[in-house]
Amino acid sequence: MLQFILRRIGISALVLLMGSALMFFATINAGDPLQDLRESRATNRDQLIAARIDNMNLDLPWWQRYLSWLAGAGKCLALQCDLGTSRDGANINALLLSSAGASLRLVSLSVALAIVIGILLGVLSAIRQYSGFDYAITFLAFLFFSLPVFWAAVLLKEFGAYRFNNWIADPALATTAMAVIAVVFAVVVAAVLGGGLRREAITFAVTAVVVFGAVLVFDRVDWWRQPALGLPIIIVGALAALAFFLVLTVGLSERRILYSGLGTVATGIVAYFVTAPVVRDPSGWWVVLALGLVALVVGAAIGWFFGGFQKKIAMFVCGGTALAFAFLVFMDQLLRNWGGFLQQVPRPIKTIGDAAIPYQKLDGNFYIIMYNWGVQLVLPTIVLTLISIAGYSRYTRSSMLETINQDYIRTARSKGLSDRVVYSKHALRNALIPITTIVAFDFANLLGGAVVTETVFGWKGLGDMFKTGLDFVDPGPVMAYYVVAGTAAVFMNMLADIAYAFLDPRIRR
């Protein structure tokens, strides 16, 4: 395996080297970097031209400029990068750090959401092939997959920012809007739960009534500006998470693990009151992460001591339930501070990135500062997530269908194993092997390819840096972009190869 990895690194380094030469040559021949100054009527035009020639080394042949850049980029191996200066004399290293940080904030969240939601939808579509749910997911996947990014971004700015900001100033829902929301939720829940026509009709009716009633209550108590979950909803959510993990592993009939999970929920209720002073205003992210880690450890410990002969499964179920409980507590506090944030920022959803304008200084606790940091991520994250979900769901469905038709799956069923065990323990793991390649390259492509999204939302990330470098015929920012995007592609491809070996031990040989 080590020899294979080293060989791949060598080949990838050669590909990066050849690609960098081609990128540099194409960029410097894309136009005249001095054209704007030659057309200028400024009295110091000659001095400005001389300064730009010096900054960009335009007095040297192209191959010397490339070798000079390559020597500086080669120092990155020793973590001492020297990517030169831009045409205005700005340090490329500092520009790259700022742009990469903005893009990572944007891409990491969208990729994580797309992976989880896309794979889940793909698995459910494959299990319920040719059902109403499958047809709906297929239609939406093709719709989002073919959606022009710029058009989706503009629509989100119109409805998710401008109109939402106008509505949240005095939120109120008409009865028709409540009915539409209830029907949409009822259709989704009935499709997900499935069953016969009678069961789907009952599920639809019950869900529609419950959702309509909940939305009506929310509207009457002005929940839209003063939201909260409350302990009862947190408990219900934790029990739903417990049921999900049980269905995913051993089913609801395994009493010891079920009781262990219920004990975890009871422990979470006690911890809700004990940790309330800290959770109301944590001093930083490290406190939130530490509390989450404590919840995971306590849940796993409960599973270990009370899980019986299936300790590992019990630790997984109880640990996952504890994390779900902790997440719901965090979301409860986050929602409770929404009203305080609205008082300082009446129009909360931003349409341009935080690098385009400075942060608005707000007075408030940890959650209000988090809102101020995160609202600018909402719209571009939704765009990138929807497009990625479409691809993940279709590839996962195809891979899952191919896997569940294999002989070893039929053998597992003939042994009397339940569908839950067949799908989760036998089919899903092998179906994820081709998905790892898509995940790896999707992250690299989004990191270096969100040019349109960053342009529409004014997000000063890698895409904007690349576009600016091309517009100004400045190879410095373009090559810095190439270093990050190319390295990300190579590194993620390497992770995909390692993931293959983990998912299928036969590949290690």
Side-chain angles (χ1 to χ4, degrees):
M1 188 68 179
L2 179 61
Q3 183 180 2
F4 171 75
I5 293 177
L6 293 176
R7 184 167 62 250
R8 289 296 304 274
I9 291 176
I11 296 174
S12 301
L14 180 61
V15 171
L16 285 175
L17 178 64
M18 297 175 63
S20 66
L22 180 61
M23 178 73 76
F24 190 92
F25 181 78
T27 302
I28 62 175
N29 286 280
D32 183 6
L34 301 175
Q35 182 178 354
D36 60 321
L37 294 180
R38 290 196 175 99
E39 297 173 352
S40 174
R41 296 184 180 181
T43 56
N44 62 338
R45 186 189 69 168
D46 293 338
Q47 289 83 356
L48 293 175
I49 291 177
R52 184 172 296 179
I53 291 175
D54 182 64
N55 289 333
M56 300 180 65
N57 295 322
L58 296 177
D59 54 336
L60 299 177
W62 76 269
W63 58 270
Q64 288 188 13
R65 294 169 60 192
Y66 170 71
L67 291 178
S68 176
W69 173 86
L70 185 62
K75 297 179 181 178
C76 293
L77 298 175
L79 301 180
Q80 296 178 349
C81 291
D82 181 13
L83 301 178
T85 58
S86 67
R87 70 172 196 163
D88 298 324
N91 186 276
I92 298 294
N93 288 1
L95 180 64
L96 178 61
L97 287 176
S98 175
S99 300
S103 290
L104 280 174
R105 285 174 53 194
L106 188 63
V107 171
S108 300
L109 181 59
S110 62
V111 168
L113 291 174
I115 291 173
V116 174
I117 300 174
I119 291 179
L120 179 61
L121 292 178
V123 171
L124 291 176
S125 295
I127 293 175
R128 298 181 179 175
Q129 187 182 16
Y130 304 134
S131 65
F133 177 79
D134 182 30
Y135 287 129
I137 295 299
T138 300
F139 170 75
L140 293 176
F142 281 120
L143 175 65
F144 290 131
F145 194 78
S146 59
L147 207 61
V149 177
F150 67 90
W151 186 70
V154 171
L155 283 181
L156 269 179
K157 289 180 69 172
E158 173 66 24
F159 293 96
Y162 301 130
R163 298 196 182 188
F164 176 82
N165 288 336
N166 293 333
W167 176 79
I168 199 65
D170 186 19
L173 288 177
T175 305
T176 304
M178 297 181 191
V180 170
I181 294 173
V183 169
V184 170
F185 268 90
V187 169
V188 172
V189 172
V192 171
L193 295 181
L197 183 60
R198 182 172 179 272
R199 177 180 172 180
E200 287 186 346
I202 294 175
T203 303
F204 174 85
V206 172
T207 304
V209 172
V210 171
V211 172
F212 184 85
V215 174
L216 180 63
V217 172
F218 288 164
D219 194 63
R220 295 294 183 267
V221 301
D222 196 23
W223 191 87
W224 317 116
R225 291 186 63 89
Q226 298 291 337
L229 294 179
L231 184 58
I233 296 180
I234 293 175
I235 295 174
V236 171
L239 292 175
L242 172 61
F244 170 78
F245 287 116
L246 286 172
V247 171
L248 191 65
T249 53
V250 296
L252 300 175
S253 60
E254 188 63 38
R255 296 296 181 87
R256 291 187 67 95
I257 299 180
L258 173 61
Y259 293 152
S260 300
L262 293 175
T264 303
V265 175
T267 305
I269 296 173
V270 175
Y272 174 82
F273 296 100
V274 173
T275 61
V278 179
V279 176
R280 285 196 188 100
D281 189 12
S283 56
W285 272 108
W286 66 272
V287 176
V288 176
L289 295 176
L291 290 175
L293 180 61
V294 170
L296 176 62
V297 171
V298 171
I302 293 175
W304 173 264
F305 285 109
F306 300 101
F309 294 104
Q310 297 179 321
K311 293 183 181 296
K312 290 185 179 180
I313 296 178
M315 290 175 66
F316 173 76
V317 171
C318 295
T321 303
L323 272 182
F325 196 104
F327 175 76
L328 290 172
V329 171
F330 174 79
M331 290 303 300
D332 178 54
Q333 291 299 323
L334 185 63
L335 289 174
R336 290 178 186 274
N337 286 275
W338 173 247
F341 177 69
L342 286 179
Q343 292 178 359
Q344 300 187 58
V345 186
R347 301 181 64 84
I349 304 300
K350 308 298 181 183
T351 58
I352 56 177
D354 66 333
I357 58 174
Y359 272 133
Q360 182 179 357
K361 301 300 182 182
L362 300 181
D363 297 325
N365 58 15
F366 168 82
Y367 298 101
I368 291 180
I369 296 174
M370 181 181 173
Y371 274 123
N372 192 38
W373 176 85
V375 288
Q376 300 162 20
L377 287 168
V378 173
L379 297 184
T381 298
I382 291 176
V383 172
L384 296 177
T385 301
L386 287 178
I387 295 173
S388 297
I389 283 177
Y392 287 140
S393 64
R394 299 312 300 162
Y395 283 117
T396 303
R397 178 184 182 275
S398 176
S399 180
M400 192 73 177
L401 286 175
E402 182 180 356
T403 302
I404 61 180
N405 290 322
Q406 298 294 321
D407 290 338
Y408 69 90
I409 296 295
R410 285 191 287 270
T411 302
R413 282 174 171 161
S414 66
K415 291 180 178 179
L417 297 179
S418 64
D419 287 341
R420 174 188 54 78
V421 175
V422 170
Y423 289 135
S424 62
K425 290 189 176 182
H426 294 271
L428 181 58
R429 182 166 181 170
N430 289 301
L432 288 178
I433 293 178
I435 306 301
T436 54
T437 302
I438 302 168
V439 171
F441 281 104
D442 187 58
F443 181 84
N445 290 336
L446 284 179
L447 182 63
V451 180
V452 176
T453 304
E454 292 182 3
T455 301
V456 173
F457 291 104
W459 197 267
K460 300 297 181 180
L462 288 172
D464 180 80
M465 183 181 70
F466 175 74
K467 178 178 177 297
T468 301
L470 288 181
D471 291 341
F472 293 151
V473 199
D474 187 357
V478 175
M479 298 308 295
Y481 163 89
Y482 177 81
V483 168
V484 175
T487 304
V490 171
F491 180 72
M492 296 305 295
N493 193 21
M494 189 66 61
L495 287 183
D497 290 338
I498 297 174
Y500 290 159
F502 174 77
L503 292 171
D504 190 349
R506 295 172 299 177
I507 299 177
R508 301 174 190 174
R509 296 191 290 266

